[in-house]
Amino acid sequence: LIDGDGFFALQDGDGVGYTRSGAFTLDEDGTLVSSNGGQLLGWNADDDGEVDTDGEPGALQVPSGDTIAPSATGEIRLGGNLDDDAEAGEGEEDPDSFTTSITIYDDDGSAHEVTLRFERGDGDPEWTVHARGDLEDEEVEVGGLQREDGDISWGTGGDFDASQIFTGIDDEQTVTVDADGLSQAAGSNTAEARGQDGYQVGFLRGFEIGSDGTITGRYSNGESLPIGRVAIATFANPEGLERQGESMYAATVNSGEPIIGAPGEGEGGSLTPGALEMSNVDLAEEFTNLIIAQRGFQANSRSITTSDEMLQELIQMKR
């Protein structure tokens, strides 16, 4: 549904037509088409998900075999609480030392589990964080956490070279540990790794269209990426469009040339996904016309009945 004065632009063998009907499906080539086979026009995104709406619009493609390349983890996000009553200790045997684990990814999308160990210090820093991977007996220091004005921050460090604790990983992959979600108060140690920004290769599993016309692909790895954007056409005089049938219109001299833009920009309006436009006829007027037609039919039927009765009388008089 277009919430505005715009029209969808459709390309077929006869040229470009325009419609308000937003019912589209995918054909065997992954092209968005209308019920009569017209290809929906818009702008396809590049490999990075960037959409250039300044270019010439073309048929919108949603390729079923599309993939999204893997991305190496660059950040781990922490959350939870650091127990302010924990006692200082040293080493993995420290009873107040605790760990949290999370899976990260390298450039090839391979998964690696990293364990972060929190150790309470005596003074500054208040906590030291260490990272461990799949290298035997290999642990590296991430950095020292301290509390200042009620906030937890890295006094030193805050990142680590992933190749120091993992085998077969790029030695340029540095992972930053974001501690903005941590607090330090009396209570239990609940600090944990709550997320990271890397992912494996993903395969297109579906898509959705937003109010601004952006077609966003949903991938098997949980990521999403723009794959195109719908174009909207407006006219200086929409009443001058020529009706073609099947909810299609053609541009004429009276309508003026189409002005192509993206939904949400200009007078074209925005889209309401999952909805179709209601009939735009005047129900009161149509009901009135229906009553008039019914009365006309009744009058004509009565005149035919009268004429038939007159003919019957003439036949009887002749006999």
Side-chain angles (χ1 to χ4, degrees), residues 131-298:
R132 180 187 294 279
D134 55 17
L135 294 180
E136 186 176 357
D137 297 327
E138 193 74 28
E139 188 177 74
V140 301
E141 184 174 314
V142 175
L145 289 168
Q146 61 185 18
R147 183 172 62 173
E148 183 175 349
D149 297 329
D151 295 327
I152 303 298
S153 62
W154 289 105
T156 57
D159 56 21
F160 62 94
D161 180 356
S163 66
Q164 292 179 277
I165 59 174
F166 291 116
T167 57
I169 202 169
D170 190 343
D171 60 6
E172 294 183 359
Q173 184 174 346
T174 299
V175 180
T176 299
V177 181
D178 181 0
D180 290 346
L182 287 175
S183 64
Q184 181 170 314
S188 59
N189 284 314
T190 61
E192 60 180 353
R194 292 185 172 175
Q196 53 84 44
D197 59 356
Y199 48 83
Q200 297 174 303
V201 63
F203 302 93
L204 186 64
R205 289 290 181 261
F207 68 93
E208 56 190 22
I209 301 178
S211 60
D212 64 349
T214 299
I215 305 172
T216 303
R218 300 190 304 272
Y219 294 83
S220 58
N221 58 3
E223 295 298 309
S224 60
L225 189 71
I227 55 180
R229 193 172 183 185
V230 178
I232 290 292
T234 56
F235 297 88
N237 178 28
E239 300 297 329
L241 292 169
E242 181 182 351
R243 186 183 296 272
Q244 300 290 303
E246 297 186 359
S247 301
M248 292 295 297
Y249 297 86
T252 66
V253 174
N254 289 334
S255 68
E257 291 297 315
I259 303 171
I260 303 297
E265 301 175 2
E267 299 179 357
S270 59
L271 303 185
T272 302
L276 294 177
E277 187 173 41
M278 294 180 61
S279 173
N280 53 14
V281 299
D282 187 329
L283 290 179
E285 181 180 352
E286 294 303 317
F287 271 120
T288 301
N289 291 336
L290 180 62
I291 293 171
I292 293 173
Q294 184 181 23
R295 294 302 185 191
F297 176 80
Q298 290 175 341

Side-chain angles (χ1 to χ4, degrees), residues 23-195:
F24 302 106
T25 57
L26 292 176
D27 66 10
E28 58 184 8
D29 298 322
T31 303
L32 281 166
V33 296
S34 64
S35 58
N36 58 5
Q39 298 177 332
L40 179 64
L41 297 184
W43 301 274
N44 290 297
D46 59 21
D47 293 339
D48 296 323
E50 297 294 329
V51 180
D52 181 12
T53 58
D54 293 329
E56 189 73 19
L60 283 170
Q61 298 281 334
V62 183
S64 58
D66 194 28
T67 61
I68 183 171
S71 177
T73 298
E75 181 182 79
I76 294 174
R77 296 180 298 277
L78 300 180
N81 182 63
L82 297 170
D83 183 10
D84 196 31
D85 292 334
E87 296 184 1
E90 185 175 350
E92 296 181 53
E93 302 303 322
D94 174 16
D96 281 326
S97 173
F98 67 100
T99 63
T100 180
S101 298
I102 191 170
T103 299
I104 68 171
Y105 300 93
D106 61 22
D107 286 330
D108 297 327
S110 297
H112 305 269
E113 184 174 283
V114 58
T115 298
L116 299 177
R117 184 173 65 85
F118 295 78
E119 179 183 284
R120 183 66 189 264
D122 185 9
D124 186 12
E126 294 195 36
W127 293 87
T128 302
V129 182
H130 307 268
R132 180 187 294 279
D134 55 17
L135 294 180
E136 186 176 357
D137 297 327
E138 193 74 28
E139 188 177 74
V140 301
E141 184 174 314
V142 175
L145 289 168
Q146 61 185 18
R147 183 172 62 173
E148 183 175 349
D149 297 329
D151 295 327
I152 303 298
S153 62
W154 289 105
T156 57
D159 56 21
F160 62 94
D161 180 356
S163 66
Q164 292 179 277
I165 59 174
F166 291 116
T167 57
I169 202 169
D170 190 343
D171 60 6
E172 294 183 359
Q173 184 174 346
T174 299
V175 180
T176 299
V177 181
D178 181 0
D180 290 346
L182 287 175
S183 64
Q184 181 170 314
S188 59
N189 284 314
T190 61
E192 60 180 353
R194 292 185 172 175

